Amino acid sequence: KVLSATKIGFFGRSVGAALCCVVGQGKSPMRARVLRDVVEAGRVLREGGLCAFPTETVYGLGADARNEAAVLKIFEAKQRPLSDPLIVHVVDERAALECVDLDDGGGADGRTSSMARAFEGLTAKFWPGPLTLVCPAKADLPKCLSAGTGTVGVRCPSHPLARRLLASADVPVAAPSANLFGHVSPTTAQHVLDDLGDQDIAVLDGGHDDGGCRHGIESTVCKLEERPGGAVAVVLYRRGAVARSDLEALVDDLQDVVKIVVEDRLVLEQKKK
């Protein structure tokens, strides 16, 4: 169980004081270091380290998504099974297109494909924001990102500090929630320290500035899948901060551009049985 700051007597105290108390309670020595400098946090990521950072959903534990050794550190720190894929955070749609392969042979950059048009319509409406889109992955991405599925989830966060970090790091950042696998997702720097303080990570403390983790729940995850006749299915894999009704409303608006349907993964799996 993740302990909150109030439950272990850290309410109203500085992070520094909290660290002393945790060590004093006989837990593993504190190895995590708190940062408030975005440039320094970006350097940590570029050099292959781990850095936790706030988004509008929850705190993520980030690593350079193109550095396989760095990505594997995430799985180790979180005690996360390699069978569980990671989401890649990017600063804009152009950076996302460097991670996903939307080309069906219709053009050099894939933008003429049905999937590319669906991707563009969804990102124009919901990015920056809490929507993750799962698409075919570029071949040069580490296979551990996708758990060998050949697909990768990409998201462009709206949190101002997360966006400054992504711009400073200048790399795509793989980042699941910054907690031990199966624990409650963190919404403050202290929550991250409570769970991962004994790991060799940096924690970019957003404090209460820039709105914090205002949603407090994970992003909505949708997979784009091709269907017969040039249609694209937006398959809902995880419900989150973007409501299904919002996705369906956008789909109606895009029907003149590309035929899209919203489907629920659980419903599809039940139909197959």
Side-chain angles (χ1 to χ4, degrees):
K1 183 179 180 180
V2 178
L3 298 179
S4 68
T6 53
K7 288 182 179 178
I8 52 179
F10 297 151
F11 182 78
R13 300 184 184 181
S14 68
V15 170
L19 303 186
C20 295
C21 289
V22 168
V23 173
Q25 288 181 347
K27 293 189 176 182
S28 299
M30 184 65 63
R31 300 171 66 198
R33 56 194 179 105
V34 176
L35 300 178
R36 290 183 174 82
D37 184 342
V38 173
V39 174
E40 173 66 9
R43 183 188 64 78
V44 169
L45 291 171
R46 282 194 307 276
E47 294 182 356
L50 301 184
C51 182
F53 62 97
T55 75
E56 71 277 16
T57 57
V58 298
Y59 265 73
L61 181 62
D64 179 355
R66 295 192 177 275
N67 183 333
E68 184 174 23
V71 172
L72 288 172
K73 291 179 184 177
I74 293 178
F75 289 95
E76 181 180 0
K78 282 178 58 70
Q79 301 173 25
R80 181 186 182 98
L82 289 170
S83 58
D84 207 347
L86 303 180
I87 293 171
V88 176
H89 294 65
V90 294
V91 72
D92 54 26
E93 184 193 5
R94 184 175 64 177
L97 292 174
E98 295 178 358
C99 299
V100 299
D101 185 1
L102 305 180
D103 190 2
D104 64 356
D109 62 0
R111 283 190 170 276
T112 58
S113 71
S114 297
M115 189 174 292
R117 293 197 300 273
F119 184 89
E120 187 172 15
L122 287 162
T123 57
K125 173 66 175 180
F126 295 111
W127 282 11
L131 177 66
T132 296
L133 294 174
V134 179
C135 306
K138 285 286 179 70
D140 60 347
L141 287 180
K143 299 297 185 289
C144 58
L145 278 176
S146 62
T149 62
T151 60
V152 65
V154 288
R155 179 166 101 80
C156 176
S158 64
H159 193 291
L161 191 57
R163 297 188 59 73
R164 292 200 295 272
L165 174 62
L166 290 168
S168 177
D170 196 28
V171 295
V173 176
S177 57
N179 54 274
L180 290 172
F181 186 72
H183 285 201
V184 176
S185 299
T187 56
T188 68
Q190 184 59 58
H191 292 164
V192 178
L193 293 171
D194 290 343
D195 230 19
L196 299 176
D198 61 345
Q199 299 296 314
D200 184 15
I201 65 172
V203 180
L204 182 60
D205 187 358
H208 297 289
D209 298 333
D210 300 325
C213 301
R214 61 189 180 87
H215 290 295
I217 58 173
E218 282 82 355
S219 64
T220 298
V221 177
C222 293
K223 184 180 180 182
L224 300 187
E225 294 183 352
E226 293 181 336
R227 292 288 187 266
V232 176
V234 179
V235 183
L236 189 59
Y237 266 50
R238 182 179 75 188
R239 296 179 184 272
V242 173
R244 175 172 180 158
S245 58
D246 293 332
L247 291 169
E248 291 173 333
L250 177 66
V251 164
D252 290 339
D253 293 339
L254 292 177
Q255 291 303 335
D256 291 338
V257 179
V258 59
K259 184 179 179 181
I260 307 178
V261 293
V262 178
E263 300 175 348
D264 193 299
R265 179 189 182 187
L266 294 177
V267 173
L268 290 175
E269 289 179 347
Q270 289 173 356
K271 288 181 178 179
K272 293 178 181 178
K273 293 180 179 180

